[in-house]
Amino acid sequence: MNTNFYFTLFSNCIPVKGAVRSIICDLQRGSYLFISNDIVDVLASCETMPIFKILDYYRNINEVELEILFNQLIELNLGHYCENPDRFPKINTQFNSPYEILDCIIELSDCNLKYIDNIFESLTILGCQTIELRTYSHFSLEKIEIFLSKLNLTRIRNVELIVCHSQLETSNAFEAILKKYPIIETLVIHSADIDNCKTIGASNLIFTTQIITSSSCCGNISKEDFKINLPFYLHGIKNNTCLYKKISIKANGDITNCPSLEKTFGSVIELSLEQALNTTGFKELWSIKKDDINICKVCEFRYICSDCRAFLNDVYEKPFKCSYDPYSPSFHNLS
């Protein structure tokens, strides 16, 4: 090891320090590596000091130990030696979107079906990119197709469809829907008899025995839902990862930030989505990022996990359905 060199992590490999341990997020490969908080401090110093100065500053680490650490990180393609770290700039953390709305959730209903043209016209004006269509009880495929038929006229690029299992529709009928509307990335059939997953073209067809009876079933936080990529990371350090530029329409037409939140900002019966978006308070929760939330702000997973601001007494509390304790650090069963 040439101690006149520097050691730097690749720009897509970002350390996130937690209460008692840390991770290196590999935003390119979608993975993370646990490391100690002490190592994070050493790696931070490596950005400005050559290795011989690191050895002088951290007297509790000898050269052999440091070389083993660096070699492990190199083997994992997380970092490298270099003569001049200024030649390897950090990722620009600016997150800008030209669209007023990025995500929309619509609870499928006869009410929303009645105002479907107004809804999709507004979503097009607002630039909405992703939409989730969901039902908690049986809603006929014929009516669902009316919603899907409007997608071709919008800017929407990704669709998730969540429907309730019914004896009235067969698996073949759902497969036919995915073939007809390849814009659907994932079709989830909840309350099914079995758990099963298959791929239809580029779409995922998922049957789950999980019973989803209302929006109160949402908001679960788990490591299975971690999103480890650059857009989500940039989003998370500046804004709320669940609610930023999101709009929702409940089954009765009420417009909200999220179906699980009680506060409404009018109804599609009387307002356009653009008008609701400009209602006082609609964007109030958008800026609550994980660094502002108690417990979350010391969690090593804070930039790769989703969020939920529903079911809380204080909007700055950790998600109600998050079982992770960064001080243990471990996941616990929720009572």
Side-chain angles (χ1 to χ4, degrees), residues 289-316:
K289 54 189 182 298
K290 285 296 177 67
D291 287 331
D292 301 324
I293 298 171
N294 293 324
I295 307 297
C296 292
K297 61 186 176 185
V298 296
C299 177
E300 63 273 24
F301 300 124
R302 60 189 178 275
Y303 301 133
I304 60 174
C305 89
S306 57
D307 188 40
C308 178
R309 295 297 89 204
F311 320 117
L312 300 172
N313 294 319
D314 182 336
V315 293
Y316 292 99

Side-chain angles (χ1 to χ4, degrees), residues 21-231:
R21 67 179 178 182
S22 302
I23 59 173
I24 296 176
C25 294
D26 185 339
L27 301 176
Q28 184 170 320
R29 297 176 183 82
S31 60
Y32 62 85
L33 175 72
F34 286 113
I35 56 173
S36 71
N37 284 350
D38 290 340
I39 295 300
V40 169
D41 294 336
V42 171
L43 292 173
S45 299
C46 286
E47 295 178 2
T48 57
M49 290 191 279
I51 294 170
F52 74 87
K53 286 191 176 181
I54 295 291
L55 291 168
D56 184 56
Y57 187 79
Y58 292 96
R59 298 296 179 87
N60 60 328
I61 302 177
N62 63 45
E63 185 172 342
V64 173
E65 292 172 329
L66 197 61
E67 185 172 16
I68 291 173
L69 168 66
F70 290 159
N71 286 341
Q72 288 175 336
L73 294 174
I74 289 171
E75 287 178 8
L76 293 169
N77 289 319
L78 298 175
H80 63 125
Y81 294 110
C82 64
E83 293 183 76
N84 184 359
D86 293 337
R87 294 180 178 176
F88 303 92
K90 299 293 182 185
I91 286 177
N92 185 338
T93 58
Q94 292 297 315
F95 178 83
N96 298 309
S97 170
Y99 307 115
E100 294 187 72
I101 286 293
L102 295 174
D103 303 302
C104 177
I105 298 175
I106 300 177
E107 293 181 340
L108 302 184
S109 66
D110 289 332
C111 174
N112 289 333
L113 187 60
K114 186 175 180 180
Y115 297 93
I116 186 172
D117 289 329
N118 294 342
I119 292 171
F120 279 90
E121 182 180 351
S122 288
L123 291 178
T124 300
I125 293 171
L126 296 172
C128 183
Q129 301 289 291
T130 300
I131 192 168
E132 178 185 305
L133 305 172
R134 61 164 75 162
T135 69
Y136 307 118
S137 57
H138 178 253
F139 195 71
S140 73
L141 280 180
E142 289 76 14
K143 291 181 180 179
I144 292 174
E145 277 211 65
I146 297 175
F147 282 90
L148 296 174
S149 66
K150 301 294 180 181
L151 295 172
N152 290 335
L153 305 175
T154 71
R155 300 179 182 179
I156 293 167
R157 296 187 297 182
N158 296 294
V159 177
E160 183 172 17
L161 179 59
I162 302 174
V163 301
C164 182
H165 179 262
S166 168
Q167 298 300 328
L168 299 176
E169 279 98 18
T170 65
S171 177
N172 288 339
F174 291 118
E175 292 183 20
I177 286 287
L178 290 178
K179 291 175 181 175
K180 187 174 181 180
Y181 301 97
I183 192 174
I184 301 174
E185 187 172 291
T186 304
L187 169 54
V188 178
I189 296 105
H190 66 81
S191 309
D193 298 327
I194 57 170
D195 291 303
N196 190 21
C197 179
K198 63 172 68 174
T199 301
I200 308 296
S203 306
N204 297 311
L205 177 59
I206 300 171
F207 289 86
T208 173
T209 53
Q210 181 184 0
I211 298 173
I212 303 175
T213 56
S214 72
S215 58
S216 63
C217 297
C218 297
N220 297 304
I221 306 293
S222 70
K223 57 185 176 183
E224 286 73 25
D225 297 320
F226 285 168
K227 297 178 182 177
I228 312 170
N229 58 63
L230 181 59

Side-chain angles (χ1 to χ4, degrees), residues 239-240 243-245 257 277 282-288:
N239 306 293
N240 187 270
L243 299 176
Y244 180 68
K245 295 200 174 191
N257 292 118
L277 183 64
F282 189 90
K283 301 176 183 177
E284 191 174 71
L285 301 177
W286 286 13
S287 61
I288 299 179

